[in-house]
Amino acid sequence: HQDGKTRYVDAIPLAHTWPQLTPMFDVAVQQASIYAQSKQLSIGGYYVAYEDPADIQLSASSALLATALLAAGDRVVAFVIDAQQLTPESTRPGLIPFIGGDSQWKEQPGAFGEGKGSAFRLENNQVLGVAQRLVAERAETAIHDFDEHLDDVTLDWLQNPLLNERIRTA
């Protein structure tokens, strides 16, 4: 946190196969929290990308997962990926933030609006274009999550070096 603002610098994929609160989710969050602390960072949110690109609401199970993260960070935002906005024609970030606590998570309409009054902004104007190119290239296939790491401990789910290289060269 700097000047009351939160800067999101990385995303760690927890799971693609178990979208509900489980003991494995708790273990993944503990591991991610330890990793973040080792980098002088903290957990600041949760993202979810649904299989159906038209699905852009925070589901009840995703809200429970985001609520569980409140114990790991004091300012937690749940982001739903709006895949329909991750096209070359779009000028919107493709992220829908939800703010809340307990079981009440509310969408922040216009959160990425223009100007200083916006609740969220992209720090680097190239981020949107890079994200759009990576989606078009199906770069998500290079993402390894905690669940995959349990099946093959050689997969680095915390740093995802193959994906990070694609991001650097995009």
Side-chain angles (χ1 to χ4, degrees), residues 70-153:
L70 287 172
D74 57 347
R75 290 184 176 181
V76 175
V77 177
F79 291 99
V80 174
I81 306 294
D82 184 351
Q84 294 176 328
Q85 294 300 323
L86 293 176
T87 64
E89 302 81 32
S90 179
T91 58
R92 295 180 55 209
L95 295 171
I96 302 170
F98 289 77
I99 308 284
D102 299 324
S103 61
Q104 300 295 318
W105 290 84
K106 297 198 185 321
E107 181 178 345
Q108 300 299 295
F112 281 95
E114 299 295 320
K116 290 185 177 182
S118 299
F120 296 89
R121 69 178 180 84
L122 297 178
E123 189 172 283
N124 180 332
N125 292 333
Q126 297 176 345
V127 168
L128 181 57
V130 169
Q132 291 166 337
R133 281 193 298 282
L134 292 171
V135 167
E137 296 170 6
R138 305 239 348 124
E140 73 274 8
T141 60
I143 297 174
H144 299 296
D145 64 17
F146 180 70
D147 203 28
E148 291 173 308
H149 171 76
L150 292 177
D151 291 334
D152 180 353
V153 295

